[in-house]
């Protein structure tokens, strides 16, 4: 078990999982017409990526989150195969994607974090989600640092034009 | 403390804060040199810059309606991955 359930009034921390977090998207924009953009929202599952120290020091008024998807939905929609989730994704071999195991006690399914679907959410809005019971769990230390390392590696890696040749 | 013991301890060349442990008559003895010398970094301040930019004051309010946002794009799965690889 890699999760625990923080109290409703517990401070927001790295690794907190939320449901019903409103995610916005500009779905249409016509800059030449001078009309306002079309904006849509959908409640989504997210995980907090902002580091614990920055949240604990109250330095920031926002948190960075990544979208989290039910693994079964991605399989049903043909985005991934179950074998790919069990294999390379669960093993952490796919940059930008991170597997989270299910937890029946917390009602969490097997999940996939998309570390390229990033958003900035105000902390006061996240606190409202906490009070409404929409914080569904918290990834525990070591596991959350493992996620943070994968997040950092995704954006700090340097790819070569082609692999080195071997003898 | 006799001179012989003092000379023997001097040959340990303990650095500030360093300890050595020896067994004497079956019990452990710790020889410790206090870290009495101030660090050369003591007067340095670790910079911790942080800028919280102000929110934009001008903007246009637009109506937002609930929609269905797209799922993520399928990732590239390498065909030759192995669980034993780092």
């Amino acid at each position: 078990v890699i999760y625990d359930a923080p109290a409703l009034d517990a401070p927001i921390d790295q690794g907190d999982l939320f449901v019903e977090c409103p995610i916005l998207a500009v779905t249409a924009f016509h800059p030449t017409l001078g009309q306002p953009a079309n904006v849509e929202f959908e409640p989504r599952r997210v995980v907090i990526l902002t580091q614990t120290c920055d949240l604990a020091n109250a330095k920031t008024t926002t948190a960075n989150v990544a979208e989290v998807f039910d693994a079964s939905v991605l399989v049903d929609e043909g985005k991934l195969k179950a074998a790919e989730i069990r294999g390379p994704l669960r093993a952490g071999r796919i940059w930008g994607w991170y597997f989270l195991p299910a937890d029946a006690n917390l009602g969490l399914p097997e999940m996939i974090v998309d570390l390229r679907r990033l958003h900035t959410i105000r902390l006061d809005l996240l606190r409202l989600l906490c009070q409404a019971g929409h914080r569904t769990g918290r990834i525990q230390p070591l596991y959350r640092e493992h996620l943070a390392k994968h997040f950092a590696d995704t954006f700090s890696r340097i790819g070569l034009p082609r692999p080195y040749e071997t003898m | 403390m006799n001179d012989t013991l003092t000379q023997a301890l001097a040959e340990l060349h303990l650095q500030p804060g360093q300890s050595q442990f020896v067994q004497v008559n079956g019990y452990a003895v710790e020889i410790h040199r206090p870290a009495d010398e101030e660090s050369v970094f003591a007067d340095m301040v670790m910079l911790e810059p942080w800028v919280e930019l102000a929110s934009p004051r001008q903007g246009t309010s637009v109506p937002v309606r609930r929609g269905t946002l797209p799922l993520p794009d399928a990732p590239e799965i390498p065909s030759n991955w192995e669980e034993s690889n780092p």
Side-chain angles (χ1 to χ4, degrees), chain B:
Chain B
M1 185 174 291
N2 63 44
D3 291 343
T4 305
L5 181 56
T6 303
Q7 288 173 8
L9 291 174
E11 290 176 5
L12 291 175
H13 301 295
L14 288 175
Q15 298 302 307
Q18 190 179 8
S19 297
Q20 289 251 355
F21 295 88
V22 293
Q23 290 284 331
V24 178
N25 294 336
Y27 53 86
V29 174
E30 177 183 2
I31 304 152
H32 177 71
R33 175 175 171 181
D36 52 357
E37 298 173 13
E38 192 173 82
S39 166
V40 295
F41 304 110
D43 60 344
M44 295 185 179
V45 176
M46 184 174 181
L47 295 178
E48 199 174 8
W50 186 275
V51 176
E52 184 81 0
L53 298 176
S55 300
R57 293 182 177 177
Q58 292 183 334
T60 304
S61 295
V62 296
V64 177
R65 63 185 179 85
R66 180 163 177 154
T68 303
L69 304 185
L71 292 172
D73 299 323
E76 267 190 37
I77 307 289
S79 57
N80 59 343
W81 80 277
E82 291 178 14
E83 196 145 7
S84 58
N85 287 342

Side-chain angles (χ1 to χ4, degrees), chain A residues 14 49 66 88-100 112-116 118 142-157, chain B residues 75 86:
Chain A
Q14 184 183 39
L49 296 176
L89 219 156
R90 183 175 55 85
R93 303 293 156 70
I94 311 299
W95 296 118
W97 292 64
Y98 192 88
F99 175 81
L100 290 174
I112 306 293
V113 183
D114 184 350
L115 293 168
R116 294 190 179 89
L118 305 173
L142 183 60
Y143 302 100
R144 75 180 182 192
E145 281 78 18
H146 191 259
L147 165 63
K149 178 73 165 55
H150 191 89
F151 174 55
D153 288 347
T154 295
F155 292 99
S156 64
R157 75 194 195 284

Side-chain angles (χ1 to χ4, degrees), chain A residues 23-24 73:
Chain A
I23 298 298
L24 296 176
V73 171

Side-chain angles (χ1 to χ4, degrees), chain A:
Chain A
V1 178
I2 72 166
Y3 311 101
D4 73 352
L8 286 180
D9 57 350
I12 292 167
D13 201 356
Q14 184 183 39
D16 281 2
L17 287 158
F18 288 87
V19 292
E20 298 293 320
C21 182
I23 298 298
L24 296 176
V26 176
T27 55
F29 181 50
H30 306 286
T32 57
L33 299 179
Q35 295 176 343
N38 291 345
V39 181
E40 294 184 359
F41 85 98
E42 185 178 14
R44 284 270 168 96
R45 190 192 300 271
V46 298
V47 61
I48 304 286
L49 296 176
T50 299
Q51 288 182 282
T52 294
C53 51
D54 290 336
L55 292 168
N57 292 335
K59 286 184 172 178
T60 180
T61 56
T62 59
N64 299 115
V65 303
E67 287 188 49
V68 182
F69 297 90
D70 289 13
S72 61
V73 171
L74 297 182
V75 172
D76 292 343
E77 294 292 326
K79 299 291 184 184
L80 288 167
K81 298 171 185 170
E84 293 171 336
I85 294 175
R86 286 195 303 270
L89 219 156
R90 183 175 55 85
R93 303 293 156 70
I94 311 299
W95 296 118
W97 292 64
Y98 192 88
F99 175 81
L100 290 174
D103 188 314
N105 292 331
L106 296 178
L108 297 173
E110 288 187 326
M111 298 170 286
I112 306 293
V113 183
D114 184 350
L115 293 168
R116 294 190 179 89
R117 292 280 185 107
L118 305 173
H119 306 277
T120 302
I121 309 290
R122 282 170 29 189
L123 288 176
D124 55 339
L125 300 182
L126 290 170
R127 290 189 196 100
L128 290 175
L129 288 175
C130 292
Q131 293 164 12
H134 292 323
R135 178 164 54 178
T136 53
R138 172 178 291 170
I139 305 171
Q140 288 298 287
L142 183 60
Y143 302 100
R144 75 180 182 192
E145 281 78 18
H146 191 259
L147 165 63
K149 178 73 165 55
H150 191 89
F151 174 55
D153 288 347
T154 295
F155 292 99
S156 64
R157 75 194 195 284
I158 297 173
L160 298 177
R162 56 182 177 274
Y164 291 125
E165 294 179 357
T166 54
M167 300 293 285

